[in-house]
Amino acid sequence: MSDWFNMTGDVDSVPIDDRGFHYGDGLFETIAIRSGQPRLWDYHMDRLARGCARLGIRMPALASLTDGLTNALQQSGLANNKCTVKLVVTAGAGQRGYGRGPVDTAPVYFGVFAATLPTAALYREGIETLVCSTRLAIHSTTAGLKTLNRLEQVLARSEFVGTDVFEGLTMDVDGNIICGTMSNLFVVHDHVISTPALERCGVEGIMRKHVIATLAEQGTRTGIRSITLADMNDSDEIFVCNSQFGVLPVRCCMKKQWPVGNVTKRVMTLLADNGIEECRR
Amino acid sequence: MSDWFNMTGDVDSVPIDDRGFHYGDGLFETIAIRSGQPRLWDYHMDRLARGCARLGIRMPALASLTDGLTNALQQSGLANNKCTVKLVVTAGAGQRGYGRGPVDTAPVYFGVFAATLPTAALYREGIETLVCSTRLAIHSTTAGLKTLNRLEQVLARSEFVGTDVFEGLTMDVDGNIICGTMSNLFVVHDHVISTPALERCGVEGIMRKHVIATLAEQGTRTGIRSITLADMNDSDEIFVCNSQFGVLPVRCCMKKQWPVGNVTKRVMTLLADNGIEECRR
């Protein structure tokens, strides 16, 4: 049995003329499944819809995506476990050459994997990070979206494979911190919470949106702005988030160290009370 | 019979866990086959080797690539025709997640297609172009290389599918013309030939290199520099090139028109005498 499914059954390959393979002409979402249900599904679908609109792919019907996800979970045998579904939508098979018209019926694939979560110690004491030497290109036409063009993340993440570093932070060429290879970043300065602006590059994470919304419900505004490496090193606390692990404190970035501060702890408690059980400390 | 082959036989799919599909973690070359032989093979292999080095993929042995190409051509039944081989090298199957170690044995695929060449009228009278609204991101970590991350070209080329426009020119955010969606660009100003610098974005085309080398053999130096849209519109002649069609004069870009000038004609004659028979006018 493969880990991968399409709308009808399990699959172990994609057609070699799929434009996802040749050009990265497609999108994906990595969805946490908890108690058999996809977490933050609406946020995932919202980002996917924005990506489809940008790429000229008709967004698959939500009912069909829900059905496909349910089928994949059932067939995987992992439906009752904490797991992760990687949902991939591509522009499908097409003639050779970059150009194409709008795509009406996009192939959809679902990969189902057991969740691999950080240890309790990492939630309590924080993670180790570094600043990657790979820089993100700026003024990307697909900034914020989760397309299948992910070479920058591959190169950045591959810088610290096999080390104790949990996450690598990536900068743009102007020295702004943008995000982690698989997470978004928040900094706390004098009790003010900020996160990097993502208009020019980076991925607008689902959990970033959930953190901002959860804080807003409590009347706390998150600043969205340019944050340089110096700004970050000058901050009182920093934490990262993604859709799988929720929020993790950052205890160091190379030589710079931070405590697990009260603002981070408060954010984690708020998140734990708002559907992200992993953040319960 | 598929149009696609691996090192041993024909294939119609790729494993769904291939990193080329998920991240665009791979490279390609589009090689013109003329009289049964790959044209400008050394240049293609040089760019592929640079791409492999950047991506941490061991360059496949040249002898095995030659064997694979020969086998694919024979099995395709197109070996005696003008045709195009698309050679794809990927980082192969891997665990989920961006990070990976170096790749020792990369999968290689060969697609074989009948050549589709421009009409004689286009070589004689020039092509119609436009400036795409899609802009190329700058400071790309893979600038110059031909990776499988090609969404910018997909979006730019898709702007004029179904029109009479032959090629779209792409700019960076600073208003510099960089290249066409599938070609490189040269401008002629007061008999001086220049082509855009590609340090920040764009693809270093094989035929661009051959044009520069062919001119250099004649003692003509090509300027490699920033070229704005205004510079381009101010030039006396412009032409584009790629590995399949060689060199084509540009007769217009939106409202701006150019004659097919003497420098362009001379370049085409030099190319025709240096292995690019399509340029014989």
Side-chain angles (χ1 to χ4, degrees):
Chain A
M1 172 69 77
S2 167
D3 300 321
W4 283 92
F5 307 85
N6 62 15
M7 286 297 193
T8 55
D10 65 314
V11 290
D12 57 12
S13 64
V14 292
I16 197 166
D17 58 355
D18 191 280
R19 297 179 61 93
F21 178 67
H22 288 277
Y23 309 123
D25 192 357
L27 301 148
F28 72 105
E29 295 290 333
T30 308
I31 303 163
I33 309 295
R34 298 294 183 268
S35 308
Q37 297 299 317
R39 188 164 73 184
L40 301 177
W41 175 251
D42 291 352
Y43 285 175
H44 283 291
M45 291 303 99
D46 175 62
R47 182 172 64 185
L48 182 62
R50 280 187 291 125
C52 283
R54 181 70 191 91
L55 267 53
I57 295 172
R58 181 181 294 184
M59 174 78 176
L62 284 178
S64 76
L65 292 178
T66 310
D67 286 353
L69 177 73
T70 305
N71 288 339
L73 276 174
Q74 283 172 352
Q75 293 177 60
S76 73
L78 290 172
N80 297 320
N81 301 68
K82 287 183 184 176
C83 59
T84 301
V85 168
K86 181 170 180 179
L87 188 167
V88 182
V89 173
T90 84
Q95 291 189 292
R96 213 169 54 81
Y98 295 126
R100 62 166 168 82
V103 174
D104 282 337
T105 309
V108 184
Y109 299 95
F110 301 89
V112 186
F113 308 92
T116 51
L117 289 173
T119 61
L122 291 176
Y123 284 98
R124 207 168 48 234
E125 295 158 20
I127 61 166
E128 185 177 340
T129 68
L130 54 66
V131 176
C132 297
S133 32
T134 303
R135 301 290 182 104
L136 302 183
I138 56 175
H139 303 294
S140 166
T141 189
T142 53
L145 301 174
K146 200 142 178 172
T147 74
L148 297 177
N149 276 207
R150 295 263 73 86
L151 256 180
E152 290 178 335
Q153 284 71 34
V154 167
L155 293 171
R157 179 65 187 85
S158 297
E159 290 181 27
F160 57 97
V161 161
T163 73
D164 287 338
V165 172
F166 186 89
E167 176 61 310
L169 307 177
T170 50
M171 294 199 291
D172 66 18
V173 72
D174 296 327
N176 298 302
I177 294 277
I178 306 297
C179 51
T181 64
M182 58 166 182
S183 67
N184 290 106
L185 174 83
F186 290 77
V187 304
V188 183
H189 194 95
D190 287 341
H191 302 278
V192 176
I193 304 175
S194 304
T195 189
L198 302 175
E199 278 81 18
R200 302 201 306 175
C201 53
V203 174
E204 287 176 26
I206 294 310
M207 193 58 69
R208 173 180 182 269
K209 188 169 178 175
H210 189 57
V211 168
I212 293 171
T214 301
L215 287 168
E217 283 170 20
Q218 305 292 321
T220 303
R221 200 179 147 278
T222 303
I224 299 176
R225 61 182 180 88
S226 297
I227 298 174
T228 64
L229 180 59
D231 292 337
M232 184 185 89
N233 283 335
D234 199 37
S235 63
D236 306 320
E237 309 173 26
I238 82 173
F239 60 90
V240 294
C241 68
N242 85 5
S243 60
Q244 307 304 303
F245 62 64
V247 163
L248 284 167
V250 173
R251 67 175 176 78
C252 67
C253 181
M254 274 112 86
K255 288 182 178 164
K256 170 72 188 174
Q257 299 201 326
W258 290 272
V260 179
N262 288 330
V263 176
T264 302
K265 289 177 187 168
R266 175 170 159 262
V267 170
M268 292 176 76
T269 302
L270 288 173
L271 266 280
D273 292 344
N274 198 16
I276 316 300
E277 190 54 42
E278 290 87 340
C279 293
R280 184 86 55 204
R281 288 168 53 85
Chain B
M1 172 68 77
S2 167
D3 300 321
W4 283 93
F5 306 85
N6 60 16
M7 287 296 193
T8 54
D10 65 315
V11 291
D12 57 13
S13 65
V14 292
I16 197 166
D17 57 354
D18 191 280
R19 297 177 62 94
F21 179 66
H22 288 277
Y23 309 122
D25 193 357
L27 302 149
F28 72 104
E29 295 291 332
T30 306
I31 304 163
I33 308 295
R34 299 293 183 267
S35 308
Q37 297 300 315
R39 188 164 73 184
L40 300 178
W41 175 252
D42 290 351
Y43 284 175
H44 283 291
M45 291 303 100
D46 175 62
R47 182 171 64 185
L48 182 62
R50 282 187 290 124
C52 284
R54 180 70 191 90
L55 267 51
I57 295 172
R58 181 181 294 184
M59 174 78 176
L62 285 179
S64 75
L65 292 177
T66 309
D67 287 352
L69 176 74
T70 304
N71 288 339
L73 275 175
Q74 282 172 352
Q75 292 176 62
S76 72
L78 290 172
N80 296 321
N81 301 69
K82 287 183 183 175
C83 60
T84 301
V85 168
K86 181 170 179 178
L87 189 167
V88 182
V89 173
T90 84
Q95 291 189 294
R96 212 168 55 80
Y98 295 126
R100 61 167 170 82
V103 173
D104 282 338
T105 309
V108 184
Y109 300 95
F110 302 88
V112 186
F113 307 92
T116 51
L117 289 173
T119 61
L122 291 176
Y123 284 99
R124 207 167 48 233
E125 294 157 21
I127 60 165
E128 185 177 339
T129 67
L130 53 66
V131 176
C132 297
S133 33
T134 302
R135 300 290 182 106
L136 302 182
I138 55 176
H139 302 295
S140 166
T141 188
T142 53
L145 301 174
K146 200 142 179 172
T147 75
L148 297 177
N149 276 208
R150 293 265 74 86
L151 255 181
E152 291 178 334
Q153 284 70 35
V154 167
L155 293 171
R157 179 66 187 84
S158 297
E159 290 181 28
F160 58 96
V161 161
T163 73
D164 287 338
V165 172
F166 186 88
E167 175 61 308
L169 307 177
T170 49
M171 292 200 292
D172 67 18
V173 72
D174 296 328
N176 298 302
I177 294 277
I178 305 299
C179 51
T181 63
M182 57 166 181
S183 67
N184 290 106
L185 173 83
F186 290 77
V187 304
V188 183
H189 194 95
D190 285 341
H191 301 277
V192 176
I193 304 175
S194 303
T195 190
L198 302 174
E199 278 82 16
R200 304 201 306 175
C201 51
V203 174
E204 286 176 29
I206 294 309
M207 193 57 70
R208 173 181 182 267
K209 188 169 177 174
H210 188 55
V211 167
I212 293 170
T214 300
L215 287 169
E217 284 170 21
Q218 306 292 321
T220 303
R221 199 178 147 277
T222 302
I224 299 175
R225 60 181 179 89
S226 299
I227 297 175
T228 65
L229 180 58
D231 292 337
M232 185 184 89
N233 282 335
D234 198 37
S235 63
D236 307 320
E237 308 173 26
I238 80 173
F239 61 88
V240 294
C241 67
N242 87 3
S243 61
Q244 305 306 303
F245 62 64
V247 163
L248 283 167
V250 173
R251 67 174 174 81
C252 67
C253 181
M254 274 115 82
K255 287 182 178 166
K256 171 71 188 175
Q257 300 202 325
W258 290 272
V260 178
N262 287 332
V263 176
T264 301
K265 288 177 187 170
R266 176 173 158 258
V267 170
M268 291 176 77
T269 302
L270 287 174
L271 266 282
D273 292 343
N274 199 16
I276 316 300
E277 190 55 41
E278 291 87 339
C279 294
R280 184 84 55 204
R281 290 166 52 85

